[in-house]
Amino acid sequence: MISNGTNIKEMSSVFLGEDFLLDNEYSILLYHQYAKDLPIIDYHNHLPPQAIAVNKQYQNITQIWLYGDHYKWRAMRANGINERYITGDASDWKKFEQYALTLPYTLRNPLYHWSHLELKRYFGIDELLTPKTAQSIYDQCNLLLNTEEYAVQHLLKKMKVELLCTTDDPTDDLSFHQMIAQQSFGIRVLPTFRPDKAILIEQAGFTEYIEHLSEVADTEIEHFQGLIDALHKRMDFFHEHGCRLADHGLEKLETTDFSLPEVDRILTKKRKGQAISKSEAAQYQSAVLHHLGVAYHTKNWTMQLHLGALRNNNSRLLGSLGPDTGFDSIGDFSQAQSLSKFLNRLDASNQLAKTILYNLNPRDNEVFAAMAGNFQDGTIVGKIQYGSGWWFLDQLDGMEKQINALSNMGLLSRFIGMLTDSRSFLSYPRHEYFRRLLCNIFGKDLQGGRLPKDLDWIGKVIQDICYYNAKNYFSF
């Protein structure tokens, strides 16, 4: 029993109630007293800075909620919804109507929790979204979205976002970040350096991208050193605008031996339109990543490595819809040896930056958690982080397994916590979702006698994981 006489089991059984996901009194206490009201540091997302800069006001719930959301698109396709109502030319109402038809079938998919949490936290809607409630919910959301309080900047404030880091190409002029910085609306919005297009030499459009990078950086890229010089110039520019993180989204690290003359030859060969071999591509990528890694250390940036996505699996729909439309999945690449070699090569010269490792294949949980421990050197608390459950793994089961792997292999208490990795301004309840899950894990251990009942210390650890560790870790 708790203070008002309500049975704990009854409270926990209320869908999305105050004690949602909290299974016992300890979990409830930890969440409500320590985690619930903390600000959010969202150090990795894909939010469009332009929308923040102009304080965009979306016309309806479909535009802010369904446009660009690959999770929802995949569920709708699995439910037999025609593409016209997903990415096609159907009206916004018809697209919302079809998602309302799909959502009741997402039971035990994280979308069921996320979607209803988002409706509840942003719009105060407690009803379940179904075909019967679709029209009234659509109208309620749209009525609110057309008020000043539901412009993008207000939505971020509503969720207590303190700082967020977008993901930006080196050629970006960061004009929208400059606009945001001049507004001083109370939330710091910083860029993240994402140079993958300069690394993936086998990817279509590589040569054209290098030419564009050369123009933006005002640096000739006739040889490999020119490429490095151009990237360094762009890093300097990003640094001036508050950037302190880099990010790479790769299938796996290519970490092979290389020589600069050979890499120079490979780049020249590619720029002449000649085919390059797999081994040549690996040498080139190894060289670029190593030079970037050294630069991140020099600038005291944090390097993020998102590894394991198998992208663009459906060639037919890729051809008609383009990339990043919901046809990526978990890859089964071998990660350990190349990751170890990459980190060790930097560490050997004492030039390994703060690093966050994210795996997409759950089989690699312990591999990545253990790898992080190899390169902790006592200079920085939690220098090498085993990152939060990512993409297909940022749901209850995936996050719990990531937390358990980190607990077993490292120090969960030094973990920098959750991020959204989202393109949606309505995704911030995912931080609440993570915090509830985290408190429930500790609460179950307390109830089972696996942890001492030192609630002040455990509460502090939870606050650190949810907020303070990230605040202290990054060089903002």
Side-chain angles (χ1 to χ4, degrees):
M1 303 289 288
I2 61 171
S3 56
N4 65 4
T6 304
N7 187 279
I8 291 292
K9 290 185 178 179
E10 289 177 2
M11 292 186 64
S12 297
S13 66
V14 177
F15 180 64
L16 296 188
E18 283 295 307
D19 301 320
F20 176 59
L21 301 183
L22 306 173
D23 292 338
N24 63 59
E25 291 168 289
Y26 296 110
S27 305
I28 291 169
L29 183 150
L30 290 171
Y31 176 71
H32 289 290
Q33 288 195 16
Y34 295 95
K36 179 180 178 181
D37 296 322
L38 291 169
I40 289 173
I41 294 177
D42 189 20
Y43 54 89
H44 177 72
N45 62 67
H46 298 275
L47 293 175
Q50 180 178 4
I52 302 172
V54 302
N55 199 19
K56 181 172 181 176
Q57 196 147 8
Y58 289 85
Q59 295 178 347
N60 60 57
I61 183 66
T62 301
Q63 292 179 9
I64 194 172
W65 209 39
L66 300 182
Y67 282 21
D69 192 327
H70 306 164
Y71 294 89
K72 294 184 177 75
W73 292 356
R74 287 169 70 96
M76 292 171 76
R77 291 175 185 133
N79 199 42
I81 304 299
N82 188 282
E83 195 66 34
R84 179 170 178 257
Y85 301 99
I86 303 172
T87 61
D89 61 359
S91 69
D92 287 345
W93 155 246
K94 286 295 184 182
K95 289 177 178 179
F96 183 84
E97 184 181 42
Q98 292 302 306
Y99 186 63
L101 175 65
T102 297
L103 189 58
Y105 290 95
T106 65
L107 294 173
R108 303 202 81 246
N109 183 292
L111 279 172
Y112 196 78
H113 287 165
W114 293 345
S115 296
H116 287 111
L117 268 178
E118 289 158 7
L119 291 173
K120 187 179 181 74
R121 296 294 178 250
Y122 288 98
F123 303 100
I125 292 172
D126 290 313
E127 290 180 288
L128 298 179
L129 179 58
T130 68
K132 290 182 179 180
T133 62
Q135 185 69 65
S136 65
I137 289 177
Y138 189 74
D139 293 342
Q140 288 179 68
C141 292
N142 294 349
L143 187 65
L144 290 170
L145 284 168
N146 283 279
T147 64
E148 183 180 345
E149 289 75 17
Y150 277 76
V152 159
Q153 293 183 8
H154 291 286
L155 290 174
L156 293 171
K157 290 179 180 179
K158 184 180 180 69
M159 291 293 109
K160 299 182 180 178
V161 178
E162 181 178 287
L163 181 146
L164 66 87
C165 298
T166 60
T167 302
D168 310 274
D169 189 89
T171 61
D172 196 299
D173 65 7
L174 302 183
S175 58
F176 296 117
H177 288 87
Q178 294 175 49
M179 287 175 60
I180 295 166
Q182 292 168 2
Q183 293 170 16
S184 300
F185 77 100
I187 298 173
R188 296 186 70 190
V189 179
L190 303 178
T192 297
F193 191 74
R194 178 80 173 253
D196 292 354
K197 290 181 180 179
I199 297 170
L200 299 173
I201 193 170
E202 294 178 289
Q203 201 167 69
F206 172 82
T207 300
E208 293 78 6
Y209 178 79
I210 295 301
E211 291 173 358
H212 181 48
L213 175 63
S214 174
E215 293 173 5
V216 171
D218 192 22
T219 302
E220 283 194 13
I221 306 180
E222 295 298 326
H223 303 284
F224 182 72
Q225 187 58 51
L227 171 67
I228 298 304
D229 291 343
L231 289 171
H232 281 192
K233 277 191 176 182
R234 298 311 295 167
M235 288 182 68
D236 290 342
F237 177 73
F238 271 57
H239 193 89
E240 291 170 4
H241 290 85
C243 178
R244 297 295 183 270
L245 288 91
D247 182 46
H248 300 280
L250 307 170
E251 291 182 349
K252 64 174 183 175
L253 291 174
E254 295 291 354
T255 313
T256 187
D257 294 333
F258 60 86
S259 68
L260 294 185
E262 179 65 9
V263 173
D264 195 52
R265 183 192 65 79
I266 293 166
L267 177 60
T268 302
K269 181 178 177 182
K270 177 67 177 181
R271 297 203 65 199
K272 289 180 178 178
Q274 300 174 19
I276 61 171
S277 67
K278 289 287 184 183
S279 63
E280 288 175 323
Q283 289 180 66
Y284 169 82
Q285 292 175 30
S286 296
V288 178
L289 280 164
H290 178 74
H291 280 78
L292 287 172
V294 170
Y296 301 151
H297 178 269
T298 300
K299 288 188 172 296
N300 195 26
W301 284 13
T302 297
M303 174 172 60
Q304 299 178 92
L305 298 172
H306 286 87
L307 304 177
L310 184 64
R311 300 180 187 273
N312 302 320
N313 293 269
N314 190 321
S315 58
R316 176 175 62 86
L317 293 176
L318 173 66
S320 59
L321 300 178
D324 301 323
T325 48
F327 302 102
D328 304 333
S329 68
I330 295 171
D332 59 352
F333 310 102
S334 176
Q335 302 283 2
Q337 288 186 324
S338 58
L339 178 56
S340 174
K341 188 171 183 177
F342 172 71
L343 297 174
N344 187 58
R345 181 179 281 163
L346 291 166
D347 186 75
S349 57
N350 199 24
Q351 292 176 299
L352 177 59
K354 290 179 289 187
T355 301
I356 310 173
L357 307 175
Y358 308 88
N359 61 291
L360 194 55
N361 193 321
R363 75 173 189 192
D364 294 327
N365 285 355
E366 284 74 16
V367 171
F368 277 54
M371 186 66 68
N374 294 331
F375 298 97
Q376 308 287 14
D377 60 11
T379 60
I380 300 169
V381 171
K383 177 180 177 179
I384 312 300
Q385 289 280 325
Y386 174 38
S388 62
W390 166 49
W391 201 341
F392 294 102
L393 305 182
D394 65 350
Q395 25 73 10
L396 286 177
D397 181 64
M399 289 191 291
E400 184 167 358
K401 287 177 178 176
Q402 183 270 344
I403 287 170
N404 287 336
L406 176 54
S407 299
N408 288 329
M409 307 289 174
L411 298 181
L412 176 62
S413 56
R414 295 305 196 177
F415 177 38
I416 56 174
M418 186 57 174
L419 45 83
T420 60
D421 190 36
S422 175
R423 291 168 173 80
S424 171
F425 288 100
L426 300 185
S427 64
Y428 280 95
R430 293 185 192 178
H431 282 261
E432 174 188 339
Y433 204 61
F434 168 83
R435 291 174 180 184
R436 288 178 178 272
L437 169 64
L438 178 70
C439 291
N440 200 48
I441 289 173
F442 275 95
K444 288 191 292 186
D445 281 351
L446 280 163
Q447 186 178 55
R450 292 182 290 275
L451 289 175
K453 293 180 175 55
D454 187 348
L455 294 178
D456 287 339
W457 175 249
I458 292 174
K460 178 189 180 301
V461 167
I462 284 173
Q463 289 183 325
D464 288 345
I465 295 169
C466 294
Y467 173 70
Y468 290 104
N469 284 345
K471 189 176 181 70
N472 294 328
Y473 181 77
F474 297 108
S475 303
F476 296 133

